Amino acid sequence: MYGLRHKYTIMVSVFVIIFLVILANITNFSFLKAEAIYEPTYFNQTINLSMADKSDHLMWFLQISDIHISAFNDPSRITDFKDFCENALKVFKPSVVIASGDLTDGKAANKLTSQEIQKEWVEYQNILSSLNITQHTTWLDIKGNHDNFNLIDLKSKENYFENYSVQGKTNPRSYLYQLKKNGDIYSFIAVDTTLQPGPRFPFNFIGLLDDDEVKVINNIVHQIESSNSNYTIWFGHYPTSCIISHEPNEIRPLIGKHSNGLAYLCGHLHRIVPEMYTLHPEGFLELELSDWKKNRMYRLLAVDHGLLSFIDVKHRDWPVILITNPKHALFLIPYKHDLDVIRQSTHIRLLVFSQVLIEFVKIQIDSQTWTFCQHIDGPLYVAPWDPNAYSTGLHKIKVHVEDVQGRSKYHTQPFSLDGTTLSFGVLPSFVLKTSANTIFKLMFWILNIIILTPLLLLKLVHYRHIARGNNEERKSSTTCTRTCFRKLWNLVSVDRIFWPLVLYQIYLTVGPWTIGYMIENYIGAIFAWGIYVNGVFLPASVTYIYGFMQLLLFQIPLIFVLAHGVDHRIQLYLENGEVSWLSKIRLHVPFIAILTLQFIMVYCVLIGYGILACLICPLHTWATILAIMLWVQALSLLKQHAL
C-alpha cells in the first residue's frame, strides 16, 4: 500500500509540474494580448494635387519574389527570368524593381542538403549584368531565407549575396533608397530579418527583427523624415506574421508609426493562400506576392498623386492593365489616402502595357456606355469623368484593351468615393495578421496537453483501482469505445512501457533534440524553443511545428500501437488463444509504418546535418531505438507483468 501511495504522490507531482510549465508557456504568448488600433496622423501632402490628364506625380515600379534560381531543378526558372529581365522590363521601363528575397534556391539535387551554391549566384549576377539591368532601372534586391543557408555571419566566405547581388556590397542588410521624380520623393526601405547566424533547412523559415536591426531601421526613418520624403514603400522577404519581434520594437508598429508609409511588400509563402493581402490596424497595407519559382508571378505597382495601386501579373500575360484613378475600394488606406484627390479629379487614369502598340483602350462604369480613352504619355491613358455622379456607395469600372496583335484583355475593379470599403478575405487576413511563431507554439503545447493529460489521469485512476483490487478493465469488451479505453488502460498499467513513453514526450519539451554541426563547422544544439550555436541563441520557432509533427506522426500513433500490442499480449494470457496470420499482420504493419517514417526522418537528419547530428538525435534516432525496445517489451510481456 505504501508503494502505491508513493507512486500516486509522484504522479500528482509530475502532472502538476507539467501543467505549470505548459501554462507558463501559453500565458506568455503575445498572441493573447489585445492588439492596439493605431490612428496615424493624416498627412496632407496630396493637398492641391489635381488629377487631370497630365503624367505628373506618377511613378510605377515592379516587384518580383522567390525566384529560386537553381543549379539542379527546373532550368526554365532561369530562362524565364532572363526573358523577364530582357523583354518585360523593356516594356514597363520601371523606375525601380524590387527583388524581395529567395533569389537563389540553395538546395542540392536531393532537396535535403541546404547551403549557398555559388553557381546559382553567378547565374543570377550574369543575367543582370549581361543585360545591363542597372543601366535601365534601379534594382533593389534583398536576402530571403534561401539566400542565408548555413552562414555563421555576414563575413562567411559563402555569403554570396554580398558579392553577387546588386545591393549586397553596399547594403548587406537593411537599407534605404530614395527616388526623386517630378518633384516627389519616394523612399524604399528594405527590411532584412534573416537570421544571423543563418541555420540550414528548415529552421530559418521564420525571420527575426533584433535590436541591432531596429536601430538601423530607426536611423533610416529619421533620414526619411529629414529629407521631406512624400511616400514610403517598405519591403522585405518575410511577411510580418513570419517575423519574430518583441516590444517595444515590434515590426508592425515600427512600420505603422511612419506617417507616409503606404505598404509593406513581401513574398516567402509561395501562394499558400491566393491573393494574400490585408490592411493592418497600424495603418498600412501588407501585400504578399506569389512566387516566381512555380507560378511565374510579378507585381506592377504605381503611386499616382499619392494613391498606391497594384496588380499581380502572370509572366507573358499581355496586355497589362493598372487602374490608378479611381483607386480600388479594397485597398483604401484610412488617414493616408486622400479621397478628395479622387473626388476632385477630372479624369479616369490607367496604365496599359504591351509588347506591341495598343489598338484601343476603353472604359465602362457600372452599366453605362463604353468610353474610349486618350493616350497621354508612355503607358498613361485617360478619360474624362464626373466624380459627383458616383459620390455614394460602391461602383465598378471595367476596362477593355486590345493591342495590334489582337490580344484582348478585360479588367474590372470596384471603387468608392465616400469611403465605403470591401472586406479582405478571412484566410489571407488570418495568415498575415497573426503570428506564425505564436501559432506554432500553441500547436506544440496544446498537443502536448492533449496527449499527456488523458494518459496521466488514466494512470492516476489506475493506481486507485489497483489499491481497491479492481482490475476488470483488462477483460475483453465489445464496443469500439470500450475496446479503445481498455487498450489504453492496459498500456498505462505497464510501467516499463508507460513511463518511457511519457518521459520521452516530456524530454522533447526541455532537452536538446539533436547536437551537431548546425552551421558550417560550428557545433550547436536544437531545442523546442530554438537553436544555440556559436554562443548565439536563435528563437527559430519552426522547431515548435517540427515538434508538433513529431508528436502527431510518431508519439500519438506509437501510443495506440503499443496499447494494441500490450492488449494483444494480455488477451492471449486471459483467453489462451492462438494468433492467426491476419492478426499478426494487423499487429505488426502499423508499427512498421511508424518505424519507416522515423527511418526516413533519421536519414533526413543525416543528409542535412551530418553523422554527429544523426547519432546524437533523441528526436528521431533515439526515438526509433526507444520505439523498437518498447515494441519488443509489449510483445514479450511476462504474465506477472501483464496481469
Side-chain angles (χ1 to χ4, degrees), residues 201-218:
F201 179 83
F203 296 110
N204 65 357
F205 181 79
I206 301 296
L208 174 66
L209 183 64
D210 58 27
D211 293 340
D212 291 337
E213 209 61 24
V214 168
K215 292 178 182 177
V216 172
I217 294 172
N218 280 328

Side-chain angles (χ1 to χ4, degrees), residues 8-21:
Y8 187 87
T9 302
I10 294 175
M11 278 292 303
V12 173
S13 300
V14 170
F15 181 77
V16 170
I17 291 172
I18 292 172
F19 178 77
L20 290 176
V21 169

Side-chain angles (χ1 to χ4, degrees), residues 25-275:
N25 276 274
I26 291 178
T27 54
N28 192 41
F29 292 151
S30 60
F31 179 75
L32 301 178
K33 297 183 294 184
E35 189 172 20
I37 302 297
Y38 286 76
E39 294 188 359
T41 303
Y42 173 71
F43 71 106
N44 59 0
Q45 299 189 55
T46 57
I47 290 179
N48 298 324
L49 293 184
S50 176
M51 275 204 292
D53 57 353
K54 306 297 182 183
S55 59
D56 58 339
H57 302 293
L58 172 65
M59 185 274 296
W60 63 91
F61 60 104
L62 297 177
Q63 180 195 0
I64 187 171
S65 190
D66 297 271
I67 305 168
H68 285 264
I69 289 176
S70 174
F72 306 100
N73 299 296
D74 190 8
S76 66
R77 290 180 212 167
I78 299 174
T79 55
D80 287 345
F81 177 61
K82 185 175 182 179
D83 178 69
F84 170 80
C85 293
E86 184 174 13
N87 297 312
L89 293 191
K90 287 181 180 179
V91 175
F92 287 107
K93 296 182 174 61
S95 299
V96 168
V97 178
I98 293 172
S100 53
D102 280 2
L103 311 173
T104 61
D105 195 49
K107 302 286 284 293
N110 59 24
K111 299 185 179 181
L112 296 176
T113 305
S114 54
Q115 64 183 55
E116 295 309 297
I117 300 171
Q118 188 174 19
K119 182 179 179 181
E120 296 175 350
W121 285 98
V122 170
E123 188 71 56
Y124 174 74
Q125 184 189 59
N126 285 344
I127 291 173
L128 299 181
S129 60
S130 64
L131 298 174
N132 295 317
I133 294 299
T134 56
Q135 302 296 320
H136 306 293
T137 187
T138 299
W139 190 273
L140 304 180
D141 46 19
I142 193 171
K143 282 190 295 184
N145 56 310
H146 279 251
D147 307 317
N148 196 50
F149 281 139
N150 196 33
L151 300 180
I152 194 63
D153 54 35
L154 294 177
K155 297 179 181 179
S156 170
K157 64 180 181 180
E158 293 186 353
N159 181 24
Y160 298 128
F161 177 80
E162 181 175 349
N163 294 321
Y164 294 101
S165 70
V166 174
Q167 298 294 330
K169 288 185 179 180
T170 54
N171 300 302
R173 296 213 68 187
S174 301
Y175 62 90
L176 167 68
Y177 170 74
Q178 289 188 307
L179 169 70
K180 296 181 180 179
K181 186 174 182 179
N182 297 330
D184 295 320
I185 300 177
Y186 304 88
S187 297
F188 295 84
I189 301 179
V191 181
D192 187 342
T193 54
T194 53
L195 296 175
Q196 298 293 324
R200 299 175 186 174
F201 179 83
F203 296 110
N204 65 357
F205 181 79
I206 301 296
L208 174 66
L209 183 64
D210 58 27
D211 293 340
D212 291 337
E213 209 61 24
V214 168
K215 292 178 182 177
V216 172
I217 294 172
N218 280 328
N219 288 334
I220 289 174
V221 171
H222 293 323
Q223 184 178 345
I224 291 174
E225 291 173 347
S226 63
S227 66
N228 296 318
S229 174
N230 300 88
Y231 315 107
T232 300
I233 304 296
W234 299 69
F235 69 94
H237 179 65
Y238 295 97
T240 59
S241 60
C242 297
I243 298 173
I244 299 175
S245 55
H246 304 288
E247 291 184 345
N249 297 321
E250 293 179 336
I251 179 67
R252 291 167 187 156
L254 186 65
I255 297 174
K257 72 179 182 180
H258 186 45
S259 60
N260 61 10
L262 298 178
Y264 174 76
L265 312 178
C266 59
H268 184 54
L269 294 182
H270 291 253
R271 201 180 174 85
I272 61 170
V273 177
E275 298 182 347

